[in-house]
Amino acid sequence: MVKNKAQSKKQQKRGVDFKKIRRKIGRKLPPAQNATNTEIKSKAIILPEQSIASEKAGLAVSKKGLTLKELLQQTSHHNAKVRKDALIGIRDVLLKFPAELKLHKLAVIEKLRERISDDDKLVREALYQLLKSVIFPGCKEDNKGPINSLMMTYIFNAMTHMAIEVRLMAFKFFDLLIQYFPSCFLLYAEKILQNYEDILQKNKFYLQDKGRLKNALAGLVRCLSLLPCSNQEEGDSLSYNDATRCSLHAFDLDLSDKSTDLSGVVNKLTDLLPVLVSCFQDFSPLIHSMAHVDVQSFDCMSFLLQSIDLVVRFFVHASGNNQHDFQNLAPAYKKNNLSICDQSISAVTLRKLWDEFPLSPNHCLSEKDGDRYFMLNIVITEIFLHLSYGSKLSPALLERFLEFIESSLSEKIHNGREAGKVHHEKHLISLVAFIPKLIMQVSVAWKSRILQAFTTAFENCSPESSMKLACLSVVEEMLLPEQNCLYLDPKDLEILNHITWIGEIPKLLVLLGDKHPLHVKAVLRLQLRVGQTANLNMTPAKEYDNMQYFIRAFYCTYSNGTVSYGPFMRLPRDIQELSVCCLYYFPFLDEVLLQSLASCCICHELEPFILFRIMEVLHSAYKAGHIQIADYISFFITLLSRFHVYPEKIDPSEKHKGKSNRGTFKSVVRAVCSWLSQIGDDVLVLQMLEKIVLDEISHKRPVDNIYGFIRLLITLDSKPTRLSEQTINRLSEVLPEYFLDVVNNIPEEDDESTKFLIRQTRDYYLLPCFFLFDRSKMLLNQILEVMESFIRGNALSLLPHQKGALAKDHSSRILSVVSVLLLVLGDIKMQKLLLSCKTEIRNILEGMHTLESSEDITMTIEERHKIRSAYDILTAAVSTLEYH
């Protein structure tokens, strides 16, 4: 033990080579003393004018600073997100810089088409939106050929892709292409139809992938709608046809073109039709097995039926009167002398479709489901009716369809629901077009039931609906068939509700007003055609004549002396003219309707073209014996007396050009004078109108209206005058006032450039009176005597004045009289007539001199100077008579 203690003391005295440091748990160890520092520090070097952004200055770039070329390159990136972002960036660039698309259109499409078969769903959807919103709208007006060829190659490749979702998306791309470039369908019709047949026949995904199937079927409907169909008629302008499915025709097929061979299309459609029916049958069990059929299933069934309907229409069209359009059909059809329809559509093909009609599940239906089933039944009915023309129908089968048609038209299905009514009307539009031909194939009992149901639908549908337009077209077709399509015999009128149909016309015109011009035009077209054939006993004329008692409100009504203009005044010109043409065919136009038309004619809002059109039609109606002479004269007298010419102050300069209707009234006066002079012998006509015209002139009316009546009077009169002495006496009382009004309404101006126009305008209004003076010297003498009385103050009662303003009244009257006399003296023919009236003229001058020098009347120096100047001017003008 002693030894061990000694050794330990010896060891403590030695030095320690490595000191052991105890570390706490969790603390970071310090770096070793010989550790190497690998940290690198640097500073950015800024070199001006050498950044990448400066190189792209002025270029079209996206939000991320990428050019169109770079974005197109990224569409081929291995990462799907990069490809999708590149497509979104291309969309932003092309929207911000539209010129880029015009410059690089084909290059962009050539690169983008590669993504049609992309494996990623989001990339394909981004491409679809890019084509739909930017590319195709920007290329719509360009040459379509290169675009079609570039796109169709990759679309066909995608249609044969291994992945079913890519194949279905390819049909969606094709549908988009057809929307903007419909002509490409005919170029690839056979191959397209073959691909549709393959996708529907070989891949049973109907109940699993209904959304994609619906998109594919929607594209098929669009393609088939581009084929010529049986209800496509040339020159058809009725707007309700736009609501039918065959209104999708975006281009006219030139079937005579040597490059157009529809035989292959016929063969493909023949193979496609059974496939479509089979697909529809696959959905049929859902109707009875499920309590509620989903929307996508309904849409698929609807598109399938629409496709079947369009195929059937194509075959019916090819088998009808258009066989010459199909010269390159399959040889077998020609050899067996069979129609395309008979060969392509067998009874077996559609038998199951008929057997299931009408589609009605065993369980109770909601309102929406009921509307959907109704739509499907409507399409099945259309298919049946297309195939029924010219063929012998099975009585039992026909009975089921007729019962459905009757219940649909009589509104027994929707049970009065307003929403259901609107939905049913929308789909009944195409069904009612079959009624004219259908009633010729059914028994008398069914004919009466169908027509009664149609009348119910016609009366109950809203005036502004498309259903009303469709019904109007059917009424026109049944009442007024074309020469080669006589559907109804005269004995059929016994069961026709023609009285109800025709009676609806005036009511519709008033109810529609001016908010639905297309509907109003359709109603007026029917009215015009009914009127044109009423005289031929094709339709009862009595019902047409009764229309005028209800149609007055369409033009104008009166209530407590107030005029209320109807929708006629606010409709477009072509519709107004159409309604005016209908007036000619009324067997008798009564006074009340003519009064309404006259009120429209004198309204400032009516265009002059329509005004003269009304006058022309009424003149023709009078010559045809449709208007009594008294009513005819009263209409034109009303025009002349109540037509308001504005502005009342006549300005011969161009200041009011375009703002005055004076020129229109002058044309009205010419037309009235011409037509009234043609109604009979001038002597008899003058006797009828002489008192009427004088009464109108005697009223204090504007200058233009009095001018019109004086013009009418001289048109009916002759030389020497046939006017009675009483008429001449009354004219001598009113014409001086007319003269003074002309002078006062067309005042003199100091401007030399307008003096000639003023003189010419005054002569225009005085010229008819000069004709009267030429035909009756007695009238001229009496007029001059009245002028003298104006000056001497013996006829002050003829002019309104105030006693306190006697001097001023005298001076202004004298100046006006002098202006009238100077106008008369300025006419060469009147100068000759005035040679025999020197005494009256001398009396006028003496009266002026007496007034000017009279001390009894107080006048200012200025007024006396004006009278003296006028006296001197008139004296100088009268002195020229001495040389004649």
Side-chain angles (χ1 to χ4, degrees):
M1 293 189 53
V2 175
K3 185 178 181 178
N4 291 337
K5 290 182 179 178
Q7 290 178 352
S8 62
K9 289 181 180 179
K10 187 177 181 180
Q11 292 175 354
Q12 290 178 358
K13 292 179 180 180
R14 294 182 189 173
V16 179
D17 295 334
F18 300 98
K19 186 178 180 179
K20 187 176 181 181
I21 301 175
R22 293 184 179 182
R23 306 292 183 183
K24 292 184 179 180
I25 298 175
R27 295 292 181 89
K28 185 178 179 180
L29 294 176
Q33 294 180 357
N34 59 349
T36 302
N37 186 7
T38 59
E39 181 179 357
I40 300 175
K41 295 183 179 180
S42 64
K43 293 185 178 181
I45 301 175
I46 301 176
L47 298 178
E49 304 300 329
Q50 291 191 18
S51 65
I52 298 177
S54 64
E55 296 178 0
K56 297 182 179 180
L59 298 179
V61 295
S62 64
K63 295 179 181 178
K64 297 182 179 181
L66 298 176
T67 63
L68 180 61
K69 182 179 179 180
E70 293 171 340
L71 291 170
L72 289 174
Q73 291 174 351
Q74 289 189 1
T75 58
S76 301
H77 198 273
H78 62 86
N79 189 295
K81 185 178 184 305
V82 175
R83 297 197 300 271
K84 186 191 74 171
D85 292 341
L87 293 174
I88 296 175
I90 292 173
R91 179 179 180 274
D92 296 338
V93 170
L94 296 181
L95 287 176
K96 189 175 181 180
F97 305 97
E100 292 293 311
L101 180 59
K102 295 182 180 180
L103 294 174
H104 312 290
K105 173 187 60 180
L106 296 181
V108 170
I109 294 176
E110 186 175 4
K111 188 62 178 177
L112 292 179
R113 62 179 181 167
E114 300 173 0
R115 298 301 100 214
I116 293 177
S117 301
D118 197 283
D119 296 332
D120 188 82
K121 176 183 177 181
L122 297 179
V123 174
R124 295 194 304 271
E125 188 62 33
L127 174 62
Y128 180 84
Q129 295 300 330
L130 174 60
L131 294 174
K132 180 180 179 181
S133 60
V134 181
I135 305 297
F136 286 167
C139 302
K140 194 172 183 180
E141 299 179 357
D142 298 331
N143 186 12
K144 305 176 180 61
I147 299 176
N148 292 339
S149 60
L150 288 173
M151 292 295 298
M152 288 306 300
T153 302
Y154 279 75
I155 288 177
F156 282 136
N157 290 337
M159 287 181 177
T160 57
H161 200 274
M162 295 296 294
I164 186 65
E165 60 271 11
V166 176
R167 299 180 65 183
L168 290 173
M169 190 67 183
F171 289 98
K172 189 175 180 181
F173 279 113
F174 176 71
D175 181 31
L176 180 64
L177 184 66
I178 288 295
Q179 293 180 37
Y180 288 92
F181 311 106
S183 59
C184 73
F185 169 68
L186 189 61
L187 301 175
Y188 307 96
E190 295 181 42
K191 198 169 182 179
I192 288 295
L193 294 175
Q194 181 63 53
N195 280 283
Y196 272 111
E197 181 183 350
D198 293 341
I199 197 68
L200 293 175
Q201 190 176 28
K202 298 177 182 179
N203 298 278
K204 299 296 183 180
F205 55 86
Y206 311 133
L207 304 180
Q208 292 78 20
D209 207 348
K210 301 169 189 174
R212 292 193 178 97
L213 175 63
K214 182 185 73 171
N215 293 332
L217 291 174
L220 178 59
V221 170
R222 192 182 305 277
C223 292
L224 295 176
S225 299
L226 297 173
L227 293 172
C229 63
S230 59
N231 69 339
Q232 183 184 3
E233 300 178 1
E234 297 180 359
D236 191 2
S237 60
L238 285 180
S239 60
Y240 85 89
N241 282 336
D242 296 338
T244 62
R245 286 187 296 277
C246 276
S247 65
L248 297 175
H249 297 281
F251 68 105
D252 295 327
L253 296 177
D254 185 7
L255 299 178
S256 61
D257 194 307
K258 62 181 180 180
S259 64
T260 303
D261 183 4
L262 293 180
S263 59
V265 176
V266 172
N267 294 331
K268 293 300 178 183
L269 290 176
T270 304
D271 298 334
L272 180 62
L273 183 60
V275 177
L276 293 172
V277 176
S278 176
C279 291
F280 184 80
Q281 292 174 3
D282 291 337
F283 283 96
S284 298
L286 297 177
I287 299 175
H288 304 287
S289 62
M290 297 179 62
H292 174 74
V293 181
D294 60 285
V295 177
Q296 290 186 344
S297 298
F298 270 117
D299 291 339
C300 290
M301 288 188 287
S302 174
F303 285 132
L304 284 168
L305 287 177
Q306 290 181 50
S307 300
I308 296 171
D309 181 36
L310 290 169
V311 173
V312 169
R313 292 186 185 193
F314 172 76
F315 287 137
V316 172
H317 177 75
S319 301
N321 297 326
N322 301 286
Q323 284 282 8
H324 64 279
D325 293 336
F326 298 81
Q327 300 296 330
N328 299 318
L329 299 178
Y333 295 170
K334 295 183 178 180
K335 181 179 179 181
N336 297 325
N337 233 359
L338 296 175
S339 69
I340 303 172
C341 192
D342 295 334
Q343 288 285 341
S344 303
I345 306 176
S346 63
V348 179
T349 304
L350 298 175
R351 181 179 298 168
K352 291 186 178 181
L353 202 59
W354 307 149
D355 293 340
E356 295 182 5
F357 181 83
L359 300 176
S360 55
N362 301 326
H363 50 272
C364 297
L365 294 175
S366 64
E367 293 182 1
K368 290 185 177 180
D369 287 346
D371 293 339
R372 295 189 182 111
Y373 279 112
F374 174 77
M375 179 190 66
L376 298 179
N377 287 324
I378 285 288
V379 182
I380 296 176
T381 304
E382 289 183 46
I383 299 172
F384 174 79
L385 293 175
H386 276 300
L387 294 174
S388 301
Y389 288 164
S391 61
K392 189 174 181 180
L393 305 177
S394 170
L397 183 60
L398 179 61
E399 191 83 8
R400 278 190 290 150
F401 280 97
L402 291 178
E403 288 178 355
F404 174 77
I405 293 173
E406 180 189 18
S407 60
S408 300
L409 292 174
S410 57
E411 303 180 3
K412 296 178 182 178
I413 294 181
H414 61 79
N415 298 324
R417 293 183 295 108
E418 187 62 28
K421 178 182 177 181
V422 174
H423 182 272
H424 284 212
E425 285 184 359
K426 177 182 177 181
H427 296 285
L428 278 175
I429 291 174
S430 56
L431 186 60
V432 297
F434 292 93
I435 291 178
K437 294 180 181 179
L438 178 63
I439 60 177
M440 301 312 300
Q441 295 180 295
V442 298
S443 62
V444 176
W446 267 113
K447 185 182 297 185
S448 178
R449 292 172 62 179
I450 293 296
L451 289 174
Q452 186 60 46
F454 168 75
T455 303
T456 302
F458 181 43
E459 291 179 322
N460 294 340
C461 60
S462 57
E464 66 278 3
S465 65
S466 299
M467 181 66 177
K468 184 69 77 173
L469 283 177
C471 291
L472 289 171
S473 178
V474 172
V475 169
E476 180 178 355
E477 194 172 358
M478 288 191 289
L479 289 179
L480 314 163
E482 300 294 337
Q483 295 180 356
N484 298 329
C485 303
L486 186 59
Y487 301 141
L488 302 174
D489 297 328
K491 61 182 180 180
D492 291 325
L493 291 176
E494 298 177 2
I495 63 173
L496 285 179
N497 297 301
H498 57 272
I499 298 178
T500 303
W501 298 343
I502 298 177
E504 284 288 310
I505 294 178
K507 300 176 185 177
L508 281 175
L509 291 176
V510 177
L511 290 175
L512 289 170
D514 60 322
K515 303 300 182 182
H516 307 279
L518 292 180
H519 292 68
V520 175
K521 190 172 185 177
V523 176
L524 290 173
R525 274 192 57 200
L526 175 59
Q527 179 186 347
L528 181 62
R529 290 209 60 196
V530 171
Q532 289 171 340
T533 57
N535 296 330
L536 303 177
N537 295 323
M538 295 182 66
T539 56
K542 182 178 179 181
E543 284 74 19
Y544 187 83
D545 188 32
N546 291 336
M547 288 172 53
Q548 67 172 308
Y549 301 108
F550 304 97
I551 208 172
R552 298 166 184 164
F554 177 69
Y555 296 99
C556 178
T557 56
Y558 298 90
S559 178
N560 299 325
T562 304
V563 179
S564 299
Y565 292 106
F568 169 79
M569 296 297 298
R570 299 178 293 275
L571 287 168
R573 177 197 281 191
D574 59 330
I575 300 179
Q576 288 179 331
E577 185 178 10
L578 186 59
S579 68
V580 172
C581 293
C582 295
L583 299 172
Y584 174 81
Y585 297 99
F586 284 113
F588 172 73
L589 286 169
D590 67 347
E591 181 182 0
V592 180
L593 181 57
L594 291 175
Q595 185 179 6
S596 298
L597 293 172
S599 298
C600 293
C601 290
I602 62 178
C603 180
H604 295 161
E605 298 178 2
L606 189 67
E607 292 186 32
F609 173 82
I610 300 300
L611 165 62
F612 294 116
R613 196 75 183 96
I614 294 175
M615 296 173 63
E616 291 171 359
V617 170
L618 294 183
H619 178 62
S620 300
Y622 167 75
K623 291 195 297 184
H626 301 169
I627 304 178
Q628 293 184 356
I629 187 171
D631 296 335
Y632 180 69
I633 293 174
S634 177
F635 174 82
F636 286 126
I637 294 298
T638 302
L639 284 188
L640 295 182
S641 61
R642 295 177 55 192
F643 195 100
H644 177 63
V645 179
Y646 60 88
E648 188 171 346
K649 202 75 171 179
I650 303 170
D651 187 357
S653 65
E654 300 292 325
K655 184 167 58 177
H656 294 292
K657 188 176 182 180
K659 300 180 182 179
S660 173
N661 62 346
R662 185 164 279 105
T664 301
F665 182 70
K666 291 178 181 179
S667 300
V668 169
V669 171
R670 285 194 296 267
V672 170
C673 293
S674 174
W675 288 337
L676 288 182
S677 64
Q678 300 174 18
I679 63 177
D681 182 72
D682 290 344
V683 178
L684 298 177
V685 175
L686 181 60
Q687 290 178 358
M688 287 189 299
L689 296 178
E690 187 175 355
K691 184 177 183 305
I692 298 174
V693 172
L694 283 175
D695 290 341
E696 295 294 337
I697 294 177
S698 299
H699 292 94
K700 186 63 177 178
R701 298 194 180 279
V703 169
D704 292 276
N705 301 89
I706 296 179
Y707 166 83
F709 285 112
I710 298 175
R711 176 81 177 269
L712 177 60
L713 200 61
I714 64 172
T715 301
L716 301 176
D717 193 17
S718 63
K719 184 178 181 179
T721 183
R722 291 194 291 259
L723 299 176
S724 63
E725 184 176 351
Q726 181 182 2
T727 300
I728 293 176
N729 292 334
R730 292 188 61 185
L731 285 174
S732 65
E733 297 174 357
V734 297
L735 287 183
E737 292 188 28
Y738 170 73
F739 293 155
L740 298 184
D741 288 340
V742 169
V743 173
N744 294 329
N745 287 336
I746 315 176
E748 290 281 359
E749 293 186 11
D750 297 332
D751 189 2
E752 294 293 336
S753 60
T754 59
K755 283 188 176 182
F756 175 76
L757 292 175
I758 292 174
R759 175 59 186 266
Q760 192 178 32
T761 305
R762 287 178 169 181
D763 288 343
Y764 171 81
Y765 286 96
L766 296 182
L767 185 60
C769 301
F770 293 169
F771 281 95
L772 291 176
F773 297 157
D774 183 46
R775 298 170 184 179
S776 174
K777 293 183 179 180
M778 182 176 66
L779 177 61
L780 177 59
N781 292 332
Q782 292 182 2
I783 292 293
L784 293 175
E785 291 176 359
V786 174
M787 292 290 186
E788 179 190 356
S789 65
F790 285 172
I791 294 176
R792 293 184 179 276
N794 295 328
L796 293 178
S797 59
L798 293 177
L799 291 176
H801 68 283
Q802 296 180 357
K803 188 173 182 180
L806 184 61
K808 184 178 180 180
D809 193 34
H810 267 296
S811 61
S812 60
R813 186 186 312 112
I814 291 173
L815 296 177
S816 299
V817 169
V818 171
S819 297
V820 171
L821 293 176
L822 291 175
L823 290 172
V824 175
L825 290 169
D827 187 84
I828 297 177
K829 292 184 178 180
M830 289 302 301
Q831 291 176 1
K832 297 179 180 180
L833 295 176
L834 290 174
L835 289 174
S836 60
C837 303
K838 291 182 178 181
T839 303
E840 288 78 3
I841 295 175
R842 189 179 302 109
N843 293 337
I844 292 174
L845 291 172
E846 291 178 358
M848 291 180 63
H849 181 71
T850 302
L851 182 63
E852 184 267 338
S853 59
S854 175
E855 300 293 338
D856 298 332
I857 300 177
T858 304
M859 289 187 293
T860 63
I861 299 177
E862 182 181 0
E863 290 174 346
R864 291 185 183 274
H865 176 71
K866 288 181 179 180
I867 295 176
R868 184 63 188 181
S869 299
Y871 173 80
D872 295 337
I873 294 173
L874 182 60
T875 302
V878 171
S879 64
T880 59
L881 295 177
E882 302 295 335
Y883 300 99
H884 289 80

